[in-house]
Each structure stands twice: as structure tokens, then as C-alpha cells.
């Protein structure tokens, strides 16, 4: 294939992905104005995309063109790496339980559908490797390891049912040199080999760097810990959340470094908004009212014309009805909501009830 043809095909592939881009220009962190810009992983800069919604930003496209073009030139699938799907929040006011539900199914269906759309223009297709990071920081976020195991096994079952078979799963348990080790040992080895010192991270936050990410993680940890069974003070919980936030960020960065080493040719996706031209590409999985919400911190709510993610408590305050599937809670639906139709963030009836 000529170089010009490779470049054109790589551009078409990237344009399919960029349609769902989550940029810093349109999605601020929880403690910033909704019009704020900046990289939540780097403290924030006024460097959002200038391209209008739905249009491909040339700078963002160029930032990932090399990896895509290399895969096309070699005739192999384009690989995307997405650290995500760690495990369900331990707070029952946010989620329906320990296992994946319709919120995860919607997100997985979107990712698999994206692989299908890429395959329609490029026969070798694409593969999205979900790098589930729950085991990486489960002790710091208050999720028992047995819950992480159950979540990952159920997630794999859902992935195996996807029609395009474009999604894969990679976890800390799949790292060959850690096979068979106890979970605490896995985390210790990861930190020893790939993590920066906590003192260094704390100093950067104190100096004003990475504050948005730190505040966002602190907020999530506070909310996750503020369960009906918690008997301490809000001040004590806030202090504990702030301390644990550093560990979560440190371990997440270590996981990212391991993935970069193991999958050097992959395009790195992120569930967080990213600035224009960043090395990571932010991507929307399911429509949300809060740009920081994820399937594992919320439930799927059928509003009648689409699904959105909201905290469980909000769905119940809005009078939504809980829907069960396969004997387990699945999602919520507003009164008068229609049966889901295929396309967009909707699922076909067969997938929605699988």
C-alpha cells in the first residue's frame, strides 16, 4: 500500500474515534467551571481543542497518527489501550451492586461497535484492550479483592458475548511475572518497579500542579466512603480521602507506565478529558450528566429516548423504576420509557436483556 493510502486510511480510522472525543475544552473537572480547560492529569492548561463538536481536531489526530499508520502499513489490527473498568463503587447510593450491570454493557457495546465501524473501513479492524485497574488500587479505594475478582470475571463474560469481538481484557493478574502472587504482593511489585515516590507527588500537588485530578479523586473517595454504615465525622472522612487520593494517583500512574512498556505501539485512550494534542485521547463511553461519571460509579437510566449515567440515588429521587435482568438489578427506567432501539447509546432489546 502506498504511503499516501496508508495515511488516508489512518486518518479515516482516527476520525471514527475522534467523533467520541472527551476534550478538556468541553469537560471540566468537578471543582472547575464547566467551560474550564486543562488536563486533569497534569493540573490544567488553557489548551483545549479548537475544533467544533463532531469535527476532528488536526492536532489530536496528528498526536496518534503514527501508531495507527504503523498498524495499517503492517496490515495488523489497530490496538487501543484503555485503563478503566476497575470495579463497582462500594457506596450503594451510587451503584446497584458488586457486579457489572447495564451501565457496563452500554460502555462495552459502544467500544465493540467502534471496533466494528473501524473494521468496515479497514479489514484487519481494531482491538480495544480494557486494562482493568481495580486490582491496582483496590485497597486504597475500599473495594475487597474478592469483589474485584468477581467483577472482572463477569466483565469477561460480557466481553465474550460482544458481536464484533473487538474488546479484550487485561488485568494485573495477567502480568506474567506476577502470576500466582498474592494481591498485596502484586501491588507492592508494581509500585517498586513503576511508581514515583508519594512525597514527590504530594509536592507537585502542593505547588499547584495536578490539583484538578487530586480533587476529583478525593471527591470520589469521599463519596464512596460516605456510606450508610459510616459512623465517623465528615471531616475525618475527608482527611482520609485526601490521604488515599495520593496512593490512587501513584498506583494509576504506575499502571500506566507498565502498560506503556508492555504495549508501546498502542493508542492510549482515557476516560478523563484530555487537552488538545495530548499523548492520551479522552473518550466518552456513555452519555452522562456529569462529565466525570463512569459506569462503575453510577447506574444506567433509561429516559425514554436514550440512556444516561446517573448516581443510583438520583435515579431513585427522580422516581425511576428499577429493572431486573437475569435475576439481578440491571438499570432504572423513567415512567413511559420506550423499549430501547438499536443505535447510539441505546441497545437492542436482545443485548439489553442478555
Amino acid at each position: 500500500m502506498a504511503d499516501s493510502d496508508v495515511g488516508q486510511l489512518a486518518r479515516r480510522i482516527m476520525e471514527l474515534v475522534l467523533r467520541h472525543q472527551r476534550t478538556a475544552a468541553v469537560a471540566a473537572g468537578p471543582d472547575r467551571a464547566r467551560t474550564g480547560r486543562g488536563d486533569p492529569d497534569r493540573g490544567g492548561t488553557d489548551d483545549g481543542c479548537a475544533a467544533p463538536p463532531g469535527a476532528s481536531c488536526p492536532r489530536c489526530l496528528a498526536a496518534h497518527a503514527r501508531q495507527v499508520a504503523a498498524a495499517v502499513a503492517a496490515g495488523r489490527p489497530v490496538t487501543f489501550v484503555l485503563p478503566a473498568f476497575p470495579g463497582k463503587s462500594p457506596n450503594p447510593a451510587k451503584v446497584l451492586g458488586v457486579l457489572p450491570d447495564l451501565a457496563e454493557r452500554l460502555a462495552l457495546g459502544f467500544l465493540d461497535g467502534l471496533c466494528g465501524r473501524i473494521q468496515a473501513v479497514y479489514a484487519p479492524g481494531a482491538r480495544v484492550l480494557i486494562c482493568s485497574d481495580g486490582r491496582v488500587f483496590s485497597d486504597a479505594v475500599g473495594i475487597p479483592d474478592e469483589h474485584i475478582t468477581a467483577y472482572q470475571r463477569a466483565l469477561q463474560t460480557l466481553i465474550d458475548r460482544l458481536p464484533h469481538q473487538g474488546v479484550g481484557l487485561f488485568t494485573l493478574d495477567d502480568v506474567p511475572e506476577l502470576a500466582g502472587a498474592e494481591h498485596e504482593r502484586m501491588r507492592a511489585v508494581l509500585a517498586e518497579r513503576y511508581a514515583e515516590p508519594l512525597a514527590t507527588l504530594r509536592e507537585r500537588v502542593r505547588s499547584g500542579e495536578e490539583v484538578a485530578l487530586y480533587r476529583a479523586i478525593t471527591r470520589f473517595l469521599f463519596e464512596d466512603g460516605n456510606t450508610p454504615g459510616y459512623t465517623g465525622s465528615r471531616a475525618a472522612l475527608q482527611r482520609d480521602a485526601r490521604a488515599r487520593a495520593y496512593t490512587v494517583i501513584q498506583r494509576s500512574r504506575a499502571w500506566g507506565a507498565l502498560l506503556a512498556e508492555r504495549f508501546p505501539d498502542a493508542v492510549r485512550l482515557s476516560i478523563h478529558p484530555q487537552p488538545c494534542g495530548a499523548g492520551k485521547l479522552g473518550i466518552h463511553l456513555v452519555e452522562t450528566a456529569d462529565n466525570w461519571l463512569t459506569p462503575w460509579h453510577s447506574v444506567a437510566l433509561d429516559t425514554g429516548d436514550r440512556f444516561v449515567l446517573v448516581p443510583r440515588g438520583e435515579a431513585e429521587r427522580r422516581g425511576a423504576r428499577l429493572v431486573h435482568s437475569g435475576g439481578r438489578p440491571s438499570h432504572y427506567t423513567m415512567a413511559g420509557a420506550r423499549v430501547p432501539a438499536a443505535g447510539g447509546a441505546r441497545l437492542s432489546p436482545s443485548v439489553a436483556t442478555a
Side-chain angles (χ1 to χ4, degrees):
M1 187 182 300
D3 289 347
S4 59
D5 294 334
V6 168
Q8 291 178 5
L9 190 49
R11 181 184 180 88
R12 291 183 65 188
I13 292 170
M14 279 304 302
E15 286 175 344
L16 291 172
V17 179
L18 288 171
R19 290 176 186 174
H20 309 283
Q21 185 178 8
R22 185 191 295 250
T23 67
V26 297
D31 296 298
R32 297 168 66 90
R34 290 186 63 84
T35 56
R37 297 182 180 186
D39 181 358
D41 287 348
R42 295 296 174 197
T45 62
D46 287 331
D47 194 22
C49 288
S56 297
C57 171
R59 287 177 60 191
C60 292
L61 193 152
H64 306 280
R66 180 187 60 81
Q67 296 100 311
V68 178
V72 171
R76 54 179 169 79
V78 180
T79 300
F80 298 90
V81 165
L82 176 63
F85 296 84
K88 285 292 194 181
S89 165
N91 191 338
K94 299 173 73 173
V95 298
L96 287 170
V98 171
L99 300 178
D101 50 43
L102 186 60
E104 277 83 2
R105 290 176 182 171
L106 287 166
L108 292 173
F110 160 73
L111 293 172
D112 189 60
L114 178 60
C115 291
R117 291 190 290 278
I118 292 173
Q119 189 173 32
V121 301
Y122 174 59
R127 182 166 178 78
V128 176
L129 189 62
I130 293 174
C131 298
S132 178
D133 44 10
R135 188 82 72 206
V136 170
F137 44 64
S138 58
D139 57 333
V141 299
I143 305 177
D145 273 309
E146 56 267 29
H147 290 183
I148 297 295
T149 299
Y151 181 87
Q152 291 176 349
R153 287 175 177 171
L155 198 66
Q156 184 64 65
T157 298
L158 294 177
I159 289 172
D160 290 341
R161 297 174 181 172
L162 294 172
H164 297 290
Q165 294 293 292
V167 179
L169 182 64
F170 181 81
T171 74
L172 193 59
D173 306 67
D174 296 319
V175 178
E177 54 267 39
L178 298 179
E182 293 185 354
H183 298 143
E184 285 295 337
R185 179 58 183 163
M186 290 181 180
R187 289 186 280 269
V189 172
L190 176 70
E192 290 168 5
R193 296 182 182 177
Y194 297 98
E196 65 178 336
L198 283 173
T200 302
L201 179 58
R202 290 192 184 98
E203 182 56 35
R204 283 210 307 276
V205 172
R206 291 192 186 103
S207 66
E209 298 180 50
E210 310 191 70
V211 173
L213 178 64
Y214 171 72
R215 289 176 176 172
I217 299 299
T218 299
R219 188 195 78 170
F220 284 132
L221 293 175
F222 177 84
E223 292 174 349
D224 284 357
N226 193 22
T227 65
Y230 177 70
T231 57
S233 68
R234 289 178 62 87
L237 183 59
Q238 184 71 24
R239 286 193 298 271
D240 180 60
R242 287 172 178 165
R244 288 185 289 127
Y246 287 111
T247 300
V248 172
I249 296 171
Q250 180 205 42
R251 301 259 192 86
S252 296
R253 292 280 168 73
W255 183 232
L258 182 150
L259 297 177
E261 178 181 280
R262 193 162 294 269
F263 306 105
D265 299 324
V267 176
R268 169 67 189 273
L269 301 179
S270 174
I271 60 171
H272 300 307
Q274 300 295 319
C276 185
K280 293 180 288 186
L281 182 65
I283 189 169
H284 289 278
L285 300 179
V286 185
E287 182 178 346
T288 69
D290 177 343
N291 278 308
W292 286 71
L293 268 184
T294 59
W296 43 95
H297 277 102
S298 59
V299 298
L301 173 65
D302 186 352
T303 66
D305 58 353
R306 68 191 190 283
F307 283 107
V308 297
L309 298 181
V310 297
R312 178 183 182 178
E314 179 180 333
E316 293 178 345
R317 285 191 296 273
R318 292 170 65 174
R321 176 177 58 87
L322 178 61
V323 177
H324 286 74
S325 177
R328 291 196 296 110
S330 171
H331 63 285
Y332 284 86
T333 182
M334 298 299 295
R338 300 187 301 276
V339 174
R346 308 293 289 173
L347 292 180
S348 67
S350 61
V351 175
T353 59

